[in-house]
Amino acid sequence: MTPASAAPPVRRFPARTASLGFSLRLPAEWPSHALPDEAPDFSDPAQLLPLATVSAPHAAIVFSVAARPAYAEGSLSGWALYLLAQQGLRTPGLGEAVLGAAQGPGGLAAVTGEAERPCELGVTRVRFALFEDGGRLVLLRLSASAAMADVLGDLWQAAIGSFRLDEPAGPTVPLWPPGQRAPMAVPAPPAAPTAMAPDIDVSLLAPAFGDAALSDNTESFDPGHATNRQVREAGAGEVPRLMSVDHAARSATLACAAIQAQIDLPLGWHAADDGRRVLVFEPEGDVHIHIALMPAAGRSLVEALHALQAQLRREHPDATITPHSEGGLHGLALRGLRDADDVVERHEWLVPGPPAPQGAEIGQLLHLRVVAIQACAEAAVRLGERILRSVVFGQQVLPAATGDTGPDWWLAALLLERADRLREAEGCIVGAVDSAGAPLQLAELYRQRMLRLLRAGDPEAAEQARAQSMRWLQRHATLSTGAVLVRATDAVEIPL
């Protein structure tokens, strides 16, 4: 049973305009509504284009995202006050926040606050966040009756804390006017832009992965594909679970247990997850991308990059190693390497990994490596950066074996167990099952581990797994009835 306080899942919304695809946490049971096809007249400075509208199924609670081109002059706070006034909303003041702060690098500075508007049933309260990115102005809103609004604080924080653009470009305007922290007067209508900002259009732009896609279908992510069978039979891993497909962007979202995250990949590429790392490659073998988690070991991101650079200098003394930074992503480029008869380039990035479990002393970093022949290196680097920006951490996983069934957290635990990442496997269960049921589920995890190790011819490790299973059963006995304990014991008492 998932605790009521569990964070809602990450949901993805493809770009409707100006490459404004995004993801954020919202309840899975909230339906997403159809949006109008007609484009607004942006010469009217109050007009916005809806990007998403999601509502609670049995209450008047609506979460919406809308966008328009940024105005030609002014500050973000002034624009926020103007747009709120045009919508009949009154706000006591403005604050600021970083959207996506819970997801690592690439956060978006935003003006935030609460506003109210009278309605027939009383007062509607609206939480809002407005940010500008690359000439694109985006407004997030969560509206509900005043009586309901107070209980939605955690949901709002989860949504804005997880919000990420697929293709961030960086801000171009200040949050506040020069010398003024929080303007309160409602300004005159901002000057409409004489033209869209560079590379921005109200029509759909080129999709994020269109230039890297090698196919228009998902055959390369089919476990039955001949290449994927060969990879599996070689022990190099399973195809990650296919979560969704964006045919317009020619990309797919895959759930990778090894890195505890979803990533986007171009169609036509292959991926394999062995529980320790994710390998991404194209059929010709000219580009390989390796993605894995590594312990931070108490180091900052900068310290970890310095350590990685020193390690690479020891391993490749003849290579040219150059640090690089682009759009908040920090990495290293290695040039002058040889692979058989080819000269290859190698690019490495480190970014913050998934949030550390509560009480954990050591966090993790996500390490992405691209190895490509020189002719493909520039495009491969762009692809590596796009994949990094698509990462959304969470317990989205795949079945670790053909016969595995169950909810995602259980499938995650099975795959992590098979990679001998037992602490993380236990964490998947403890984070998803209530305190009374978790010990029994952990006992089942170690029972299956015992059976697997017996089949693999390792009776000593199987005995350790059996002992762990019995310990969890004993723990369960203090929280449950003797009848349940007998059934569980019968299930685990298999002679070695």
Side-chain angles (χ1 to χ4, degrees):
M1 183 174 67
T2 303
S5 59
V10 172
R11 296 175 60 175
R12 291 185 174 278
F13 296 85
R16 291 195 77 208
T17 186
S19 298
L20 281 170
F22 60 92
S23 61
L24 76 166
R25 292 189 179 277
L26 285 175
E29 65 273 16
W30 287 24
S32 182
H33 299 279
L35 301 173
D37 293 329
E38 60 271 13
D41 178 8
F42 286 136
S43 64
D44 178 351
Q47 291 293 309
L48 294 100
L49 174 72
L51 302 181
T53 300
V54 180
S55 65
H58 304 298
I61 302 171
V62 179
F63 189 97
S64 63
V65 182
R68 62 163 291 121
Y71 303 111
E73 57 186 33
S75 65
L76 195 62
S77 55
W79 299 347
L81 288 171
Y82 170 74
L83 287 173
L84 291 172
Q86 296 305 301
Q87 297 172 15
L89 292 165
R90 302 187 304 268
T91 179
L94 299 175
E96 61 183 74
V98 177
L99 307 191
Q103 298 296 316
L108 300 159
V111 169
T112 61
E114 294 189 9
E116 292 187 345
R117 177 175 57 202
C119 67
E120 294 180 357
L121 301 178
V123 175
T124 296
R125 186 178 301 170
V126 177
R127 289 179 169 93
F128 63 88
L130 181 74
F131 70 88
E132 180 273 335
D133 181 84
R136 305 169 296 184
L137 192 61
V138 182
L139 177 64
L140 283 65
R141 294 183 11 151
L142 176 63
S143 61
S145 67
M148 295 283 296
D150 289 339
V151 301
L152 298 174
D154 289 346
L155 186 145
W156 173 249
Q157 292 301 321
I160 66 172
S162 61
F163 185 91
R164 295 195 72 169
L165 285 177
D166 291 348
E167 296 185 66
T172 63
V173 299
L175 292 184
W176 312 99
Q180 193 172 2
R181 173 62 175 76
M184 289 305 302
V186 175
T194 55
M196 297 296 288
D199 300 324
I200 303 298
D201 198 338
V202 294
S203 62
L204 290 174
L205 299 186
F209 291 98
D211 56 351
L214 305 174
S215 171
D216 292 319
N217 58 56
T218 60
E219 289 182 3
S220 64
F221 303 126
D222 183 348
H225 190 286
T227 298
N228 298 331
R229 288 201 307 269
Q230 293 173 2
V231 171
R232 181 171 60 250
E233 291 166 0
E238 298 271 359
V239 178
R241 174 182 286 185
L242 180 63
M243 303 295 288
S244 63
V245 180
D246 186 343
H247 289 288
R250 301 180 73 196
S251 66
T253 300
L254 303 176
C256 304
I259 58 173
Q260 304 170 36
Q262 290 181 351
I263 62 173
D264 290 345
L265 295 178
L267 298 178
W269 288 63
H270 294 273
D273 184 335
D274 67 355
R276 296 180 184 274
R277 60 93 184 103
V278 179
L279 179 64
V280 179
F281 59 97
E282 40 77 45
E284 298 298 323
D286 293 334
V287 179
H288 288 82
I289 300 175
H290 177 282
I291 316 171
L293 295 174
M294 58 180 286
R299 300 170 298 185
S300 68
L301 183 61
V302 172
E303 291 169 337
L305 274 170
H306 287 165
L308 177 60
Q309 184 174 2
Q311 175 187 334
L312 294 173
R313 289 195 186 281
R314 291 192 299 268
E315 295 175 352
H316 306 281
D318 297 329
T320 301
I321 303 178
T322 307
H324 58 78
S325 179
E326 179 70 30
L329 298 177
H330 306 286
L332 302 166
L334 287 78
R335 296 182 174 89
L337 300 173
R338 298 200 67 87
D339 180 15
D341 295 330
D342 293 319
V343 177
V344 300
E345 291 188 16
R346 178 169 159 179
H347 295 259
E348 316 243 354
W349 291 267
L350 291 178
V351 299
Q358 188 173 5
E361 297 179 359
I362 299 177
Q364 292 178 297
L365 299 173
L366 184 69
H367 179 200
L368 186 143
R369 176 192 306 135
V370 170
V371 180
I373 63 173
Q374 282 188 315
C376 302
E378 184 177 350
V381 167
R382 290 198 304 269
L383 177 58
E385 292 174 342
R386 290 171 181 175
I387 293 173
L388 274 178
R389 295 189 190 283
S390 77
V391 171
V392 178
F393 292 110
Q395 292 182 2
Q396 301 92 8
V397 295
L398 71 162
T402 304
D404 290 339
T405 60
D408 281 353
W409 56 264
W410 175 243
L411 299 175
L414 291 176
L415 187 64
L416 291 167
E417 180 276 315
R418 286 163 190 162
D420 295 322
R421 292 163 58 178
L422 299 179
R423 182 177 177 181
E424 294 167 81
E426 291 179 359
C428 287
I429 295 173
V430 172
V433 183
D434 61 20
S435 58
L440 191 58
Q441 199 69 45
L442 288 163
E444 174 62 15
L445 175 75
Y446 281 100
R447 184 187 77 88
Q448 294 200 22
R449 177 175 175 82
M450 175 193 71
L451 296 174
R452 181 178 67 80
L453 293 170
L454 281 175
R455 290 192 295 269
D458 191 348
E460 182 177 347
E463 171 57 31
Q464 294 174 357
R466 189 191 73 85
Q468 278 288 85
S469 183
M470 292 302 298
R471 278 194 287 271
W472 283 115
L473 284 171
Q474 291 165 2
R475 170 62 179 161
H476 177 70
T478 66
L479 303 173
S480 188
T481 65
V484 173
L485 178 62
V486 170
R487 288 198 296 271
T489 305
D490 291 343
V492 78
E493 284 290 354
I494 297 177
L496 297 176

